[in-house]
Amino acid sequence: MIDTNILLRAYRSMSRVKVMAETYEANRSICKYVHSTSRGHEAIQLATAYQLQPQDYVSPYYRDESIVMGIGFTPYEQMLQLLAKRNDIFTGGREYYSHPNYRGDDKPTMIHQSSATGMQVIPTTGVAQGIQYLEKYYPEKLRKGANGELPVIICSLGDASITEGEVSEAFQFAVLKQLPIIYLVQDNNWGISVSAEEARAMNAFEFAAGFKGMNRTQVDGSDFEASYMVMKDVCERVRRERKPWLVHAQVPLLGHHTSGVRKEFYRSDEDWAKHQEHDPNPKLRKKLLERGIHEDEIITIEKEAADYINAEFAKAVAAPEPDPVTIEDHVFAPATITEEKGDRNPAGKEKVVMVDAALFAIREIMEDHPEAVLYGQDVGKRLGGVFREAATLAEKFGDHRVFNTAIQEAYIVGSTVGMSAVGLKPIVEVQFADYIYPGFNQLVTEISKSCYLSCGKFPVSMILRVPIGAYGGGGPYHSGSVETTVLSIKGIKVAYPSNAADMKGLMKAAYYDPNPVVMLEHKGLYWSKVPGTEDAKTPEPSGDYILPFGKANIVIKADQDKIANGESCVIITYGMGVYWAKAAAKKFNGNVEVVDLRTLFPLDEELIFERVKAHGKCLVLTEEQQNNSFAEALAGRISKNCFQFLDTPVEVLGALNVPAVPMNMELEKTMLPDSEKVAALIAKVLQY
């Protein structure tokens, strides 16, 4: 039997949670931001929270206020988030209620996670992946309990989220690698207004049977004593055995789906009454009476809960609002690399191709930093990447640091959140830019927002390598350009090197940047096989060479007298566009300057505007389809900032506006810009 004091502790918390829900409902005009409460889910949540130790990790979902309370956060701290107040310790008024994140020595760690259904499962599984790595290879870096207890990772989610494909990706990885994670599934038979019968062929317990190696159990999540015993047993097993578990807890839903989607909109009186029969609060109250706790003591607990919550709520309502001047704080963690350093062009060094420059950069990084790991499809020992961009790395550093994954772009991308949170630095890749889209949920929803919404506690330090671009008949799904799509995401940095030296310098800068970086690497420049791209090969820079983000480069200078006479123009470009521009410039005898952006965010606006103002004429050149592209947006920015210096409108040249790159090489050539098309537009601009 469970100690009665534990039952009393749980009832105090349940009583507080009940009053909190009633208080929020009674003050709807004050509690104006959308929120969910844990009413009906309190027993399993508190039972879970009571098993956790400071070295553990937990990812609550949006209905988990009782987990948050159970691990030691006060109602006042939770209410500050409910009301989006300045002193909200989790997100500073930026996030919904019950969206905590925490990094401290006294409580379990909580990474930031979104409200998107099921999206937290991959990042939290990434935590378990990182913990397993530390446990096996760097145990001295693993945080343990006071008596040497190993950490467990708990990911909480609703049963309706099990239908999400990304949940399956996480389960697949967890059982394949036998990670020390517990998936706590709270099943209240609703997915907003969709019943379980309408939406699911099976519940989470039944679904988990399909994942060989997933241990599983079920419990009445409205019964605190049963829930406590199950969670105690499962947590102890995972601490010892280091294997994944799924706990399926059946619970009632005793509140609205959210404050904005109310129960009366979609639930029948019969359904509501059925759920009330399983209210955890009176169940635990009855159990206490059976244990000999006097009714007066229980009433005292309930009255104290009401008085305490009313005081906490009044204090939270009176708390100050966020200061608007902080709105742009924590978009990024501060970058440490601000100056170009090292020898870019060492004497006597042979030229290397871009793909090797990236390989050498990562090799040097991994030699110096044991926390660096590289994974993705086919990057392991057997192949070393479809472009051989990871060749030899697995042989040198081992399969535990350089390894293959399944075809799981979402997992590859999203797991970096958890890996970064435990102190690792993941370098991952998708095989082609066209395949980035399955990972986009994680990149947008979890990675890009983590630093901002955690007020700087959880920047995601990762590199995502993306081979990009068209050449040689790669066809519709291996040739796309995605920079505009990627750049629409705020909170990530984007590099696009055009030569080997820049590749190595930017890769090093990306590694030392504490923020998420997408490296767009043109596969047509990897080996300089495309005619006219020989200059992509450069001497390999020194091992300490590093090139900061946000520094564009003038790769061809125009003659000063042509500039002075108004007879010149500047081409702003990047990637393959650099080589089209350089080839075209040769036809104009010093009239053309070419600026290589090198990074697309941050963008070197200072140099761009300076050069446009000097020339008065500008062409922005891109490989992307032109309409609504980054290039057109940049042209608009240039027009606004340089308007009084312009002699002609800013021109833009990109690919034709067709949905995909055709396979046929003649059609591909027709679609893409080239040096001849660039030269024709320059002649028009210069009236040459």
Side-chain angles (χ1 to χ4, degrees), residues 11 20 39 123 140 180 238 266 291 307 314 324 354 401 408 411-412 440 457 532 625 630 648 672 677:
Y11 192 69
M20 286 162 71
R39 281 291 288 124
E140 69 278 5
V238 174
Y266 62 93
R291 286 282 190 98
D307 292 343
M354 274 183 64
R401 294 188 67 192
Q408 295 182 322
Y411 188 85
I412 292 167
F440 231 62
K457 293 191 289 295
Q625 292 93 324
F630 159 71
T648 62
L672 296 174
K677 295 173 185 176

Short mmCIF file of all heavy atoms in Angstrom, two decimals, residues 11 20 39 123 140 180 238 266 291 307 314 324 354 401 408 411-412 440 457 532 625 630 648 672 677:
data_model
loop_
_atom_site.label_atom_id
_atom_site.label_comp_id
_atom_site.label_asym_id
_atom_site.label_seq_id
_atom_site.Cartn_x
_atom_site.Cartn_y
_atom_site.Cartn_z
N TYR A 11 -3.95 14.64 -2.80
CA TYR A 11 -5.27 15.26 -2.67
C TYR A 11 -5.16 16.77 -2.51
O TYR A 11 -6.02 17.52 -3.01
CB TYR A 11 -6.05 14.65 -1.50
CG TYR A 11 -7.50 15.06 -1.53
CD1 TYR A 11 -8.34 14.58 -2.54
CD2 TYR A 11 -8.02 15.97 -0.61
CE1 TYR A 11 -9.67 14.98 -2.61
CE2 TYR A 11 -9.35 16.37 -0.67
CZ TYR A 11 -10.16 15.88 -1.68
OH TYR A 11 -11.47 16.29 -1.77
N MET A 20 -8.35 25.82 -9.26
CA MET A 20 -7.76 26.58 -10.37
C MET A 20 -8.68 26.56 -11.58
O MET A 20 -8.96 27.61 -12.18
CB MET A 20 -6.38 26.00 -10.72
CG MET A 20 -5.31 26.35 -9.69
SD MET A 20 -3.84 25.29 -9.79
CE MET A 20 -3.10 25.85 -11.32
N ARG A 39 -8.20 18.87 -15.51
CA ARG A 39 -9.31 18.23 -14.79
C ARG A 39 -9.69 16.90 -15.45
O ARG A 39 -10.00 16.83 -16.63
CB ARG A 39 -10.52 19.15 -14.73
CG ARG A 39 -10.39 20.22 -13.67
CD ARG A 39 -10.46 19.66 -12.24
NE ARG A 39 -11.82 19.24 -11.87
CZ ARG A 39 -12.12 18.02 -11.45
NH1 ARG A 39 -11.20 17.09 -11.35
NH2 ARG A 39 -13.38 17.72 -11.13
N PRO A 123 11.40 15.47 -30.53
CA PRO A 123 12.43 16.13 -29.72
C PRO A 123 12.72 15.42 -28.40
O PRO A 123 13.88 15.32 -27.98
CB PRO A 123 11.86 17.54 -29.49
CG PRO A 123 10.98 17.77 -30.66
CD PRO A 123 10.36 16.43 -30.95
N GLU A 140 30.94 10.44 -17.65
CA GLU A 140 31.32 11.52 -16.73
C GLU A 140 30.50 12.79 -16.98
O GLU A 140 30.42 13.66 -16.11
CB GLU A 140 32.81 11.82 -16.86
CG GLU A 140 33.26 12.47 -18.16
CD GLU A 140 33.46 11.50 -19.32
OE1 GLU A 140 33.15 10.30 -19.14
OE2 GLU A 140 33.91 11.94 -20.38
N PRO A 180 15.97 4.92 -23.16
CA PRO A 180 15.36 4.94 -21.82
C PRO A 180 14.27 6.00 -21.72
O PRO A 180 14.40 7.00 -21.03
CB PRO A 180 16.55 5.28 -20.92
CG PRO A 180 17.43 6.14 -21.78
CD PRO A 180 17.30 5.58 -23.17
N VAL A 238 12.84 1.44 -16.02
CA VAL A 238 13.59 2.18 -17.04
C VAL A 238 14.92 2.66 -16.46
O VAL A 238 15.94 2.66 -17.15
CB VAL A 238 12.76 3.34 -17.61
CG1 VAL A 238 13.59 4.20 -18.57
CG2 VAL A 238 11.53 2.80 -18.33
N TYR A 266 -19.84 20.37 -28.39
CA TYR A 266 -19.79 19.09 -29.11
C TYR A 266 -20.08 17.86 -28.24
O TYR A 266 -20.24 16.76 -28.78
CB TYR A 266 -18.42 18.91 -29.76
CG TYR A 266 -17.24 18.85 -28.80
CD1 TYR A 266 -16.77 17.64 -28.32
CD2 TYR A 266 -16.61 20.01 -28.35
CE1 TYR A 266 -15.71 17.57 -27.44
CE2 TYR A 266 -15.54 19.97 -27.47
CZ TYR A 266 -15.09 18.74 -27.02
OH TYR A 266 -14.04 18.68 -26.15
N ARG A 291 -8.99 5.10 4.52
CA ARG A 291 -7.72 4.95 5.23
C ARG A 291 -7.79 5.52 6.65
O ARG A 291 -6.81 5.50 7.38
CB ARG A 291 -6.61 5.69 4.46
CG ARG A 291 -6.15 5.01 3.20
CD ARG A 291 -5.20 3.84 3.50
NE ARG A 291 -4.58 3.34 2.29
CZ ARG A 291 -3.37 3.68 1.88
NH1 ARG A 291 -2.63 4.51 2.58
NH2 ARG A 291 -2.89 3.16 0.76
N ASP A 307 -8.51 28.88 -0.46
CA ASP A 307 -7.93 30.15 0.00
C ASP A 307 -6.58 30.40 -0.68
O ASP A 307 -6.29 31.53 -1.11
CB ASP A 307 -7.74 30.11 1.52
CG ASP A 307 -9.06 30.10 2.27
OD1 ASP A 307 -10.10 30.44 1.66
OD2 ASP A 307 -9.06 29.74 3.46
N ALA A 314 -5.08 36.21 -7.35
CA ALA A 314 -5.10 37.66 -7.18
C ALA A 314 -3.70 38.25 -7.38
O ALA A 314 -3.53 39.30 -8.01
CB ALA A 314 -5.63 38.01 -5.79
N PRO A 324 7.12 45.84 -23.76
CA PRO A 324 7.21 45.71 -25.22
C PRO A 324 8.63 45.82 -25.78
O PRO A 324 8.90 45.28 -26.86
CB PRO A 324 6.32 46.85 -25.73
CG PRO A 324 5.35 47.09 -24.62
CD PRO A 324 6.12 46.85 -23.36
N MET A 354 34.68 21.43 -53.17
CA MET A 354 33.81 21.86 -52.07
C MET A 354 33.39 20.70 -51.18
O MET A 354 33.35 20.83 -49.95
CB MET A 354 32.56 22.56 -52.62
CG MET A 354 32.74 24.04 -52.88
SD MET A 354 31.22 24.83 -53.45
CE MET A 354 30.17 24.62 -52.03
N ARG A 401 29.26 7.72 -33.54
CA ARG A 401 29.30 9.16 -33.79
C ARG A 401 28.88 9.53 -35.21
O ARG A 401 28.46 10.67 -35.45
CB ARG A 401 30.70 9.71 -33.52
CG ARG A 401 31.12 9.64 -32.06
CD ARG A 401 32.42 10.36 -31.83
NE ARG A 401 32.31 11.79 -32.03
CZ ARG A 401 33.35 12.62 -32.11
NH1 ARG A 401 34.58 12.12 -32.02
NH2 ARG A 401 33.17 13.92 -32.28
N GLN A 408 13.61 9.04 -42.39
CA GLN A 408 12.81 9.72 -41.37
C GLN A 408 13.28 11.17 -41.26
O GLN A 408 13.90 11.56 -40.27
CB GLN A 408 12.98 9.04 -40.01
CG GLN A 408 12.47 7.62 -39.91
CD GLN A 408 12.65 7.05 -38.52
OE1 GLN A 408 13.64 7.30 -37.85
NE2 GLN A 408 11.67 6.28 -38.07
N TYR A 411 12.32 12.85 -38.02
CA TYR A 411 13.11 12.46 -36.86
C TYR A 411 14.53 13.01 -36.95
O TYR A 411 15.08 13.49 -35.95
CB TYR A 411 13.17 10.93 -36.69
CG TYR A 411 13.83 10.59 -35.37
CD1 TYR A 411 13.08 10.57 -34.21
CD2 TYR A 411 15.21 10.43 -35.27
CE1 TYR A 411 13.67 10.34 -32.98
CE2 TYR A 411 15.81 10.20 -34.05
CZ TYR A 411 15.04 10.16 -32.91
OH TYR A 411 15.64 9.97 -31.69
N ILE A 412 15.13 12.94 -38.12
CA ILE A 412 16.50 13.45 -38.28
C ILE A 412 16.58 14.90 -37.84
O ILE A 412 17.47 15.31 -37.09
CB ILE A 412 16.95 13.31 -39.75
CG1 ILE A 412 17.11 11.83 -40.12
CG2 ILE A 412 18.26 14.05 -40.00
CD1 ILE A 412 17.24 11.58 -41.61
N PHE A 440 9.95 19.61 -42.15
CA PHE A 440 9.63 21.02 -41.97
C PHE A 440 8.82 21.30 -40.71
O PHE A 440 8.99 22.34 -40.07
CB PHE A 440 8.88 21.54 -43.20
CG PHE A 440 9.48 22.79 -43.74
CD1 PHE A 440 10.78 22.78 -44.22
CD2 PHE A 440 8.78 23.98 -43.78
CE1 PHE A 440 11.36 23.93 -44.71
CE2 PHE A 440 9.36 25.12 -44.27
CZ PHE A 440 10.65 25.11 -44.74
N LYS A 457 16.70 29.82 -22.87
CA LYS A 457 17.17 28.65 -22.12
C LYS A 457 17.49 27.46 -23.02
O LYS A 457 18.34 26.64 -22.70
CB LYS A 457 16.11 28.23 -21.08
CG LYS A 457 15.91 29.24 -19.96
CD LYS A 457 15.08 28.67 -18.83
CE LYS A 457 13.63 28.49 -19.17
NZ LYS A 457 12.90 29.74 -19.45
N GLY A 532 32.71 25.90 -66.07
CA GLY A 532 32.72 27.27 -65.57
C GLY A 532 32.75 27.39 -64.07
O GLY A 532 32.80 28.50 -63.53
N GLN A 625 13.02 29.60 -58.84
CA GLN A 625 11.96 30.20 -59.63
C GLN A 625 11.72 31.61 -59.11
O GLN A 625 11.68 31.85 -57.92
CB GLN A 625 10.68 29.36 -59.52
CG GLN A 625 10.79 27.99 -60.17
CD GLN A 625 11.22 26.90 -59.23
OE1 GLN A 625 12.03 27.13 -58.33
NE2 GLN A 625 10.69 25.69 -59.41
N PHE A 630 13.02 34.82 -52.56
CA PHE A 630 13.94 35.60 -51.74
C PHE A 630 14.59 36.71 -52.56
O PHE A 630 14.75 37.84 -52.08
CB PHE A 630 15.01 34.67 -51.15
CG PHE A 630 16.27 35.36 -50.70
CD1 PHE A 630 16.28 36.17 -49.58
CD2 PHE A 630 17.46 35.18 -51.41
CE1 PHE A 630 17.45 36.81 -49.16
CE2 PHE A 630 18.62 35.81 -51.00
CZ PHE A 630 18.63 36.62 -49.88
N THR A 648 18.22 53.01 -62.43
CA THR A 648 17.20 52.18 -63.08
C THR A 648 16.57 51.29 -62.01
O THR A 648 17.14 51.11 -60.93
CB THR A 648 17.82 51.28 -64.17
OG1 THR A 648 18.75 50.39 -63.55
CG2 THR A 648 18.53 52.11 -65.24
N LEU A 672 16.54 27.18 -66.31
CA LEU A 672 17.49 27.84 -65.42
C LEU A 672 18.12 29.08 -66.04
O LEU A 672 18.26 29.17 -67.26
CB LEU A 672 18.60 26.86 -65.03
CG LEU A 672 18.21 25.63 -64.23
CD1 LEU A 672 19.41 24.72 -64.07
CD2 LEU A 672 17.64 26.03 -62.88
N LYS A 677 21.99 34.41 -70.39
CA LYS A 677 20.80 35.14 -69.95
C LYS A 677 21.18 36.29 -69.03
O LYS A 677 20.59 37.38 -69.09
CB LYS A 677 19.83 34.19 -69.24
CG LYS A 677 19.26 33.11 -70.14
CD LYS A 677 18.44 32.10 -69.35
CE LYS A 677 17.97 30.94 -70.22
NZ LYS A 677 17.25 29.90 -69.48
#
